[in-house]
């Protein structure tokens, strides 16, 4: 089970970055999570327009290995 997380650092935010956790997940596969992260990135461009200092995603796994 994976949860999509998007991290955006933008000039609009000053020196700060924002971390957005997906409320629609979790997803069964890593590829579904990546697909959702890309969709989230496209959706947030309206709120936080480019250029970005950085934009990253990660897929948090609910069941991490020990």
């Amino acid at each position: 089970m994976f949860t999509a997380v998007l991290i955006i650092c933008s000039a609009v935010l000053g020196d700060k970055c924002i971390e957005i956790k997906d409320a629609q997940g979790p997803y069964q596969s890593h590829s579904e999570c990546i697909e959702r992260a890309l969709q989230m990135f496209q959706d947030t461009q309206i709120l936080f327009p480019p250029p970005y200092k950085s934009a990253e995603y990660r897929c948090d796994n609910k069941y991490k290995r020990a």
Side-chain angles (χ1 to χ4, degrees):
M1 304 293 273
F2 297 92
T3 301
V5 180
L6 184 63
I7 303 106
I8 295 178
C9 302
S10 173
V12 173
L13 300 170
D15 291 337
K16 298 182 180 182
C17 298
I18 187 166
E19 182 175 288
I20 305 163
K21 289 188 178 185
D22 181 28
Q24 291 184 14
Y27 300 94
Q28 294 291 327
S29 71
H30 191 257
S31 61
E32 287 176 315
C33 180
I34 292 171
E35 195 173 307
R36 177 61 181 143
L38 292 172
Q39 182 184 30
M40 289 168 57
F41 176 71
Q42 290 172 346
D43 292 346
T44 58
Q45 289 184 11
I46 295 167
L47 299 172
F48 307 106
Y52 301 117
K53 294 178 184 176
S54 68
E56 302 174 9
Y57 75 91
R58 70 175 188 261
C59 289
D60 290 346
N61 187 344
K62 182 177 178 181
Y63 304 105
K64 296 191 183 220
R65 294 180 185 145

PDB file of all heavy atoms in Angstrom, residues 5 7 10 19 22 25 28-30 36-37 40 46-47 51 53 55-57 61 63 66:
ATOM      1  N   VAL A   5       3.109  11.429  -2.062  1.00  0.00           N
ATOM      2  CA  VAL A   5       3.474  12.661  -1.369  1.00  0.00           C
ATOM      3  C   VAL A   5       4.221  13.538  -2.371  1.00  0.00           C
ATOM      4  O   VAL A   5       5.153  13.082  -3.035  1.00  0.00           O
ATOM      5  CB  VAL A   5       4.367  12.386  -0.142  1.00  0.00           C
ATOM      6  CG1 VAL A   5       4.718  13.678   0.560  1.00  0.00           C
ATOM      7  CG2 VAL A   5       3.695  11.416   0.814  1.00  0.00           C
ATOM      8  N   ILE A   7       6.327  17.192  -2.902  1.00  0.00           N
ATOM      9  CA  ILE A   7       7.057  18.258  -2.201  1.00  0.00           C
ATOM     10  C   ILE A   7       7.434  19.312  -3.238  1.00  0.00           C
ATOM     11  O   ILE A   7       8.144  19.016  -4.198  1.00  0.00           O
ATOM     12  CB  ILE A   7       8.332  17.724  -1.513  1.00  0.00           C
ATOM     13  CG1 ILE A   7       7.982  16.602  -0.536  1.00  0.00           C
ATOM     14  CG2 ILE A   7       9.047  18.841  -0.775  1.00  0.00           C
ATOM     15  CD1 ILE A   7       8.347  15.255  -1.028  1.00  0.00           C
ATOM     16  N   SER A  10       8.839  26.600  -4.162  1.00  0.00           N
ATOM     17  CA  SER A  10       8.548  27.601  -5.185  1.00  0.00           C
ATOM     18  C   SER A  10       8.863  28.988  -4.667  1.00  0.00           C
ATOM     19  O   SER A  10       8.809  29.242  -3.458  1.00  0.00           O
ATOM     20  CB  SER A  10       7.068  27.510  -5.563  1.00  0.00           C
ATOM     21  OG  SER A  10       6.695  28.555  -6.416  1.00  0.00           O
ATOM     22  N   GLU A  19       4.592  20.259   1.559  1.00  0.00           N
ATOM     23  CA  GLU A  19       4.458  18.821   1.380  1.00  0.00           C
ATOM     24  C   GLU A  19       2.978  18.491   1.329  1.00  0.00           C
ATOM     25  O   GLU A  19       2.232  18.813   2.253  1.00  0.00           O
ATOM     26  CB  GLU A  19       5.135  18.079   2.530  1.00  0.00           C
ATOM     27  CG  GLU A  19       5.089  16.577   2.382  1.00  0.00           C
ATOM     28  CD  GLU A  19       5.861  15.865   3.466  1.00  0.00           C
ATOM     29  OE1 GLU A  19       7.095  15.907   3.451  1.00  0.00           O
ATOM     30  OE2 GLU A  19       5.197  15.272   4.345  1.00  0.00           O
ATOM     31  N   ASP A  22      -1.438  12.808  -0.433  1.00  0.00           N
ATOM     32  CA  ASP A  22      -2.646  12.443  -1.166  1.00  0.00           C
ATOM     33  C   ASP A  22      -3.704  11.891  -0.225  1.00  0.00           C
ATOM     34  O   ASP A  22      -3.433  11.021   0.601  1.00  0.00           O
ATOM     35  CB  ASP A  22      -2.289  11.393  -2.219  1.00  0.00           C
ATOM     36  CG  ASP A  22      -3.475  10.981  -3.051  1.00  0.00           C
ATOM     37  OD1 ASP A  22      -4.396  11.803  -3.220  1.00  0.00           O
ATOM     38  OD2 ASP A  22      -3.487   9.841  -3.530  1.00  0.00           O
ATOM     39  N   GLY A  25      -5.481   7.993  -1.713  1.00  0.00           N
ATOM     40  CA  GLY A  25      -4.847   6.674  -1.596  1.00  0.00           C
ATOM     41  C   GLY A  25      -5.307   5.942  -0.365  1.00  0.00           C
ATOM     42  O   GLY A  25      -6.273   6.351   0.281  1.00  0.00           O
ATOM     43  N   GLN A  28      -2.460   0.257  -4.403  1.00  0.00           N
ATOM     44  CA  GLN A  28      -1.956  -1.111  -4.307  1.00  0.00           C
ATOM     45  C   GLN A  28      -0.538  -1.254  -4.859  1.00  0.00           C
ATOM     46  O   GLN A  28       0.264  -1.997  -4.334  1.00  0.00           O
ATOM     47  CB  GLN A  28      -2.878  -2.077  -5.063  1.00  0.00           C
ATOM     48  CG  GLN A  28      -4.252  -2.201  -4.445  1.00  0.00           C
ATOM     49  CD  GLN A  28      -4.225  -2.903  -3.098  1.00  0.00           C
ATOM     50  OE1 GLN A  28      -3.416  -3.794  -2.871  1.00  0.00           O
ATOM     51  NE2 GLN A  28      -5.094  -2.490  -2.200  1.00  0.00           N
ATOM     52  N   SER A  29      -0.245  -0.526  -5.931  1.00  0.00           N
ATOM     53  CA  SER A  29       1.065  -0.695  -6.575  1.00  0.00           C
ATOM     54  C   SER A  29       1.850   0.618  -6.578  1.00  0.00           C
ATOM     55  O   SER A  29       1.275   1.713  -6.507  1.00  0.00           O
ATOM     56  CB  SER A  29       0.897  -1.192  -8.013  1.00  0.00           C
ATOM     57  OG  SER A  29       0.372  -0.171  -8.832  1.00  0.00           O
ATOM     58  N   HIS A  30       3.155   0.468  -6.686  1.00  0.00           N
ATOM     59  CA  HIS A  30       4.046   1.631  -6.743  1.00  0.00           C
ATOM     60  C   HIS A  30       3.764   2.450  -8.004  1.00  0.00           C
ATOM     61  O   HIS A  30       3.783   3.674  -7.972  1.00  0.00           O
ATOM     62  CB  HIS A  30       5.502   1.155  -6.698  1.00  0.00           C
ATOM     63  CG  HIS A  30       6.466   2.258  -6.491  1.00  0.00           C
ATOM     64  ND1 HIS A  30       7.215   2.779  -7.526  1.00  0.00           N
ATOM     65  CD2 HIS A  30       6.811   2.959  -5.372  1.00  0.00           C
ATOM     66  CE1 HIS A  30       7.976   3.748  -7.054  1.00  0.00           C
ATOM     67  NE2 HIS A  30       7.752   3.875  -5.759  1.00  0.00           N
ATOM     68  N   ARG A  36      -0.427   8.836  -9.632  1.00  0.00           N
ATOM     69  CA  ARG A  36      -1.167   9.804  -8.813  1.00  0.00           C
ATOM     70  C   ARG A  36      -0.298  11.010  -8.471  1.00  0.00           C
ATOM     71  O   ARG A  36      -0.772  12.150  -8.492  1.00  0.00           O
ATOM     72  CB  ARG A  36      -1.698   9.132  -7.542  1.00  0.00           C
ATOM     73  CG  ARG A  36      -2.396  10.075  -6.610  1.00  0.00           C
ATOM     74  CD  ARG A  36      -3.617  10.736  -7.232  1.00  0.00           C
ATOM     75  NE  ARG A  36      -4.221  11.638  -6.271  1.00  0.00           N
ATOM     76  CZ  ARG A  36      -4.765  12.800  -6.583  1.00  0.00           C
ATOM     77  NH1 ARG A  36      -4.843  13.194  -7.842  1.00  0.00           N
ATOM     78  NH2 ARG A  36      -5.261  13.567  -5.642  1.00  0.00           N
ATOM     79  N   ALA A  37       0.964  10.793  -8.155  1.00  0.00           N
ATOM     80  CA  ALA A  37       1.870  11.900  -7.831  1.00  0.00           C
ATOM     81  C   ALA A  37       2.000  12.848  -9.022  1.00  0.00           C
ATOM     82  O   ALA A  37       2.003  14.073  -8.850  1.00  0.00           O
ATOM     83  CB  ALA A  37       3.233  11.369  -7.410  1.00  0.00           C
ATOM     84  N   MET A  40      -1.148  14.876  -9.207  1.00  0.00           N
ATOM     85  CA  MET A  40      -1.122  15.900  -8.161  1.00  0.00           C
ATOM     86  C   MET A  40      -0.237  17.070  -8.582  1.00  0.00           C
ATOM     87  O   MET A  40      -0.589  18.231  -8.365  1.00  0.00           O
ATOM     88  CB  MET A  40      -0.604  15.302  -6.847  1.00  0.00           C
ATOM     89  CG  MET A  40      -1.563  14.341  -6.185  1.00  0.00           C
ATOM     90  SD  MET A  40      -0.830  13.399  -4.835  1.00  0.00           S
ATOM     91  CE  MET A  40      -0.253  14.688  -3.734  1.00  0.00           C
ATOM     92  N   ILE A  46      -1.689  25.187 -10.714  1.00  0.00           N
ATOM     93  CA  ILE A  46      -2.616  26.322 -10.666  1.00  0.00           C
ATOM     94  C   ILE A  46      -2.376  27.137  -9.390  1.00  0.00           C
ATOM     95  O   ILE A  46      -2.350  28.361  -9.417  1.00  0.00           O
ATOM     96  CB  ILE A  46      -4.079  25.830 -10.726  1.00  0.00           C
ATOM     97  CG1 ILE A  46      -4.350  25.158 -12.066  1.00  0.00           C
ATOM     98  CG2 ILE A  46      -5.052  26.974 -10.485  1.00  0.00           C
ATOM     99  CD1 ILE A  46      -5.645  24.382 -12.119  1.00  0.00           C
ATOM    100  N   LEU A  47      -2.173  26.443  -8.270  1.00  0.00           N
ATOM    101  CA  LEU A  47      -1.953  27.115  -6.985  1.00  0.00           C
ATOM    102  C   LEU A  47      -0.535  27.645  -6.833  1.00  0.00           C
ATOM    103  O   LEU A  47      -0.320  28.705  -6.253  1.00  0.00           O
ATOM    104  CB  LEU A  47      -2.251  26.152  -5.834  1.00  0.00           C
ATOM    105  CG  LEU A  47      -3.674  25.624  -5.753  1.00  0.00           C
ATOM    106  CD1 LEU A  47      -3.776  24.535  -4.693  1.00  0.00           C
ATOM    107  CD2 LEU A  47      -4.628  26.757  -5.434  1.00  0.00           C
ATOM    108  N   PRO A  51       8.124  29.087 -12.130  1.00  0.00           N
ATOM    109  CA  PRO A  51       9.192  28.093 -11.969  1.00  0.00           C
ATOM    110  C   PRO A  51       9.303  27.621 -10.518  1.00  0.00           C
ATOM    111  O   PRO A  51       8.956  28.343  -9.585  1.00  0.00           O
ATOM    112  CB  PRO A  51      10.441  28.844 -12.384  1.00  0.00           C
ATOM    113  CG  PRO A  51      10.156  30.264 -12.034  1.00  0.00           C
ATOM    114  CD  PRO A  51       8.663  30.438 -12.246  1.00  0.00           C
ATOM    115  N   LYS A  53      11.762  25.939  -7.457  1.00  0.00           N
ATOM    116  CA  LYS A  53      13.131  25.700  -6.996  1.00  0.00           C
ATOM    117  C   LYS A  53      13.400  24.208  -7.063  1.00  0.00           C
ATOM    118  O   LYS A  53      14.460  23.767  -7.474  1.00  0.00           O
ATOM    119  CB  LYS A  53      13.329  26.217  -5.572  1.00  0.00           C
ATOM    120  CG  LYS A  53      13.219  27.721  -5.453  1.00  0.00           C
ATOM    121  CD  LYS A  53      13.377  28.158  -4.019  1.00  0.00           C
ATOM    122  CE  LYS A  53      13.167  29.645  -3.880  1.00  0.00           C
ATOM    123  NZ  LYS A  53      13.221  30.075  -2.485  1.00  0.00           N
ATOM    124  N   ALA A  55      10.823  20.276  -7.281  1.00  0.00           N
ATOM    125  CA  ALA A  55       9.560  19.554  -7.184  1.00  0.00           C
ATOM    126  C   ALA A  55       9.904  18.073  -7.157  1.00  0.00           C
ATOM    127  O   ALA A  55      10.574  17.575  -8.058  1.00  0.00           O
ATOM    128  CB  ALA A  55       8.657  19.883  -8.364  1.00  0.00           C
ATOM    129  N   GLU A  56       9.464  17.408  -6.106  1.00  0.00           N
ATOM    130  CA  GLU A  56       9.785  15.996  -5.928  1.00  0.00           C
ATOM    131  C   GLU A  56       8.540  15.251  -5.485  1.00  0.00           C
ATOM    132  O   GLU A  56       7.577  15.853  -5.019  1.00  0.00           O
ATOM    133  CB  GLU A  56      10.855  15.820  -4.842  1.00  0.00           C
ATOM    134  CG  GLU A  56      12.136  16.554  -5.107  1.00  0.00           C
ATOM    135  CD  GLU A  56      13.103  16.476  -3.927  1.00  0.00           C
ATOM    136  OE1 GLU A  56      12.851  15.715  -2.971  1.00  0.00           O
ATOM    137  OE2 GLU A  56      14.115  17.177  -3.978  1.00  0.00           O
ATOM    138  N   TYR A  57       8.593  13.947  -5.618  1.00  0.00           N
ATOM    139  CA  TYR A  57       7.518  13.113  -5.094  1.00  0.00           C
ATOM    140  C   TYR A  57       8.148  11.912  -4.410  1.00  0.00           C
ATOM    141  O   TYR A  57       9.311  11.593  -4.602  1.00  0.00           O
ATOM    142  CB  TYR A  57       6.566  12.644  -6.201  1.00  0.00           C
ATOM    143  CG  TYR A  57       7.152  11.543  -7.047  1.00  0.00           C
ATOM    144  CD1 TYR A  57       6.950  10.206  -6.698  1.00  0.00           C
ATOM    145  CD2 TYR A  57       7.917  11.824  -8.162  1.00  0.00           C
ATOM    146  CE1 TYR A  57       7.503   9.193  -7.455  1.00  0.00           C
ATOM    147  CE2 TYR A  57       8.473  10.826  -8.917  1.00  0.00           C
ATOM    148  CZ  TYR A  57       8.261   9.503  -8.560  1.00  0.00           C
ATOM    149  OH  TYR A  57       8.806   8.494  -9.311  1.00  0.00           O
ATOM    150  N   ASN A  61       5.454   3.806   1.749  1.00  0.00           N
ATOM    151  CA  ASN A  61       4.934   2.459   1.869  1.00  0.00           C
ATOM    152  C   ASN A  61       4.410   2.254   3.279  1.00  0.00           C
ATOM    153  O   ASN A  61       5.142   2.426   4.250  1.00  0.00           O
ATOM    154  CB  ASN A  61       6.044   1.455   1.553  1.00  0.00           C
ATOM    155  CG  ASN A  61       5.553   0.034   1.491  1.00  0.00           C
ATOM    156  OD1 ASN A  61       4.475  -0.288   1.958  1.00  0.00           O
ATOM    157  ND2 ASN A  61       6.356  -0.822   0.894  1.00  0.00           N
ATOM    158  N   TYR A  63       3.704  -0.426   4.718  1.00  0.00           N
ATOM    159  CA  TYR A  63       4.325  -1.605   5.333  1.00  0.00           C
ATOM    160  C   TYR A  63       5.809  -1.617   5.004  1.00  0.00           C
ATOM    161  O   TYR A  63       6.250  -2.298   4.089  1.00  0.00           O
ATOM    162  CB  TYR A  63       3.658  -2.878   4.825  1.00  0.00           C
ATOM    163  CG  TYR A  63       2.181  -2.877   5.059  1.00  0.00           C
ATOM    164  CD1 TYR A  63       1.287  -2.658   4.024  1.00  0.00           C
ATOM    165  CD2 TYR A  63       1.661  -3.063   6.340  1.00  0.00           C
ATOM    166  CE1 TYR A  63      -0.084  -2.642   4.236  1.00  0.00           C
ATOM    167  CE2 TYR A  63       0.296  -3.051   6.565  1.00  0.00           C
ATOM    168  CZ  TYR A  63      -0.562  -2.844   5.519  1.00  0.00           C
ATOM    169  OH  TYR A  63      -1.906  -2.826   5.735  1.00  0.00           O
ATOM    170  N   ALA A  66      11.539  -4.232   7.754  1.00  0.00           N
ATOM    171  CA  ALA A  66      12.384  -4.022   8.927  1.00  0.00           C
ATOM    172  C   ALA A  66      13.841  -4.157   8.569  1.00  0.00           C
ATOM    173  O   ALA A  66      14.234  -4.730   7.628  1.00  0.00           O
ATOM    174  CB  ALA A  66      12.020  -5.006   9.999  1.00  0.00           C
TER     175      ALA A  66
END
